[in-house]
Amino acid sequence: MNVKRNVVSDICLLIIADVMYRIAISRLLYQRFQLLFEPICKRHLQQSLIDYGICHQALKFQAPMVSTLHINQRREYSKRAKKETKSKKLKFELRDEEVMNVIDVQQINKHMHNIVDTLREDYAKNLSLRTSTGVFDQLNVHFDGQVYTLNQIAQITMKNPTLMIINMGGFPQALPAALTAIHNAGMNLNPQQEGNTIYIPVPKVTREHRENLAKSAKALYIKAKERLREVQNRYVKEASKGKGAHSEDLVYNVKQWIQHQNEEFSQKATEIMEAKQKELLGTK
């Protein structure tokens, strides 16, 4: 009986040893398989997401996470950016007759047209690479509650290509006002007073001079936009006063129309400013 028990025990031990040996061999083969084929699967992973899934399940290695949500968000952001670059349009139709019941359409258009036209005229008169006497002829001088052009109260001469002389001898009391007008003209000039005469050195056309003129163009543009905004605010307040006589929807739509007009004229002013800056900087 003891011999039989020993034989059975030996057989069981042999079976267990065989199983453990097979398990060890399987693990060794698995590790070698993983080391051999994991890099290949990773390379294929970059080409196909399907291969990625297969390799991941087969080898169970940790692969980089791919966020499709991030891609979709980026695409949506790009679409939004493209939409925002387009000019805004009114989402409703509003006839001029309806607007005129609330505000004066002709007046608001006239005011905004004048602001844009004034910006264009200021650029033509005051921002030029070559300074000449004609630049100062129509320069407005505010004195004692009146507005004069500089050529009405002074004699303007070009002594040489680098020096301009403004003689205020006929109207000396307006000399401080004339100096203020020249400083505020945005021409980047440095007038110097001597007695009743104003001397203006004409700067050379350098890169720095071009850049200063371009900055002056931007400053005049900002002032024009502020004036357009003032017109918008004035007529929005006027429209708000008509809430009792008109429906709330009509008053709201008229306010949106006023804002739209401001955006349209501001866009025109922007185009004029950008064209002038390109001219001054010598860029295409």
Side-chain angles (χ1 to χ4, degrees), residues 2-226:
N2 292 331
V3 173
K4 288 183 179 180
R5 288 179 180 177
N6 291 334
V7 171
V8 172
S9 298
D10 292 338
I11 292 172
C12 291
L13 290 172
L14 288 172
I15 293 173
I16 293 172
D18 181 72
V19 171
M20 293 182 67
Y21 174 77
R22 291 177 183 274
I23 291 174
I25 292 297
S26 299
R27 287 184 176 178
L28 180 61
L29 291 175
Y30 173 77
Q31 291 176 356
R32 290 182 178 180
F33 172 84
Q34 189 175 21
L35 291 174
L36 178 63
F37 289 98
E38 181 176 325
I40 299 174
C41 291
K42 284 186 177 180
R43 287 197 297 270
H44 285 286
L45 177 62
Q46 297 176 353
Q47 301 176 0
S48 172
L49 287 176
I50 296 176
D51 292 340
Y52 165 78
I54 295 172
C55 293
H56 184 274
Q57 291 179 0
L59 302 177
K60 297 183 180 179
F61 60 83
Q62 187 174 2
M65 297 296 293
V66 179
S67 176
T68 55
L69 177 61
H70 174 70
I71 296 174
N72 291 335
Q73 288 176 343
R74 183 169 57 188
R75 287 178 180 175
E76 291 175 0
Y77 177 81
S78 299
K79 292 179 180 178
R80 287 198 299 269
K82 290 180 180 178
K83 289 181 180 178
E84 290 175 358
T85 55
K86 297 179 181 179
S87 59
K88 296 180 180 179
K89 295 183 180 180
L90 290 174
K91 297 181 180 180
F92 54 86
E93 293 183 0
L94 195 63
R95 297 190 302 272
D96 288 346
E97 295 80 7
E98 294 177 308
V99 181
M100 291 180 66
N101 289 332
V102 183
I103 61 170
D104 192 331
V105 175
Q106 293 182 350
Q107 282 298 316
I108 186 173
N109 285 332
K110 181 180 178 181
H111 288 158
M112 291 187 173
H113 267 297
N114 288 341
I115 293 171
V116 175
D117 290 341
T118 300
L119 177 65
R120 187 182 288 107
E121 292 173 1
D122 286 342
Y123 281 170
K125 292 179 181 178
N126 304 329
L127 296 181
S128 176
L129 292 174
R130 296 293 181 182
T131 306
S132 63
T133 57
V135 173
F136 295 95
D137 286 341
Q138 301 302 314
L139 184 64
N140 290 330
V141 179
H142 297 266
F143 174 74
D144 199 19
Q146 300 292 327
V147 179
Y148 304 90
T149 58
L150 188 58
N151 61 356
Q152 289 178 320
I153 59 177
Q155 294 179 353
I156 307 171
T157 56
M158 197 82 177
K159 185 175 181 180
N160 56 59
T162 61
L163 182 64
M164 185 176 299
I165 299 176
I166 300 177
N167 188 353
M168 298 290 300
F171 206 161
Q173 60 270 34
L175 194 148
L179 283 171
T180 301
I182 295 170
H183 278 295
N184 295 338
M187 291 182 281
N188 192 37
L189 298 174
N190 184 27
Q192 300 173 5
Q193 177 188 353
E194 185 177 328
N196 294 330
T197 304
I198 300 174
Y199 296 93
I200 302 178
V202 179
K204 296 181 180 179
V205 183
T206 61
R207 182 65 185 177
E208 182 182 1
H209 180 56
R210 288 176 179 270
E211 291 175 351
N212 288 332
L213 289 177
K215 290 179 181 179
S216 298
K218 183 68 175 292
L220 291 173
Y221 160 76
I222 292 174
K223 289 181 181 179
K225 286 198 67 174
E226 290 175 353

Side-chain angles (χ1 to χ4, degrees), residues 99 103 108 112 231-233 235-236 239 253-263:
V99 181
I103 61 170
I108 186 173
M112 291 187 173
V231 173
Q232 171 188 315
N233 295 338
Y235 280 93
V236 165
N253 289 341
V254 169
K255 289 180 180 180
Q256 294 298 307
W257 179 87
I258 296 170
Q259 181 178 350
H260 179 261
Q261 291 299 102
N262 178 39
E263 292 172 355

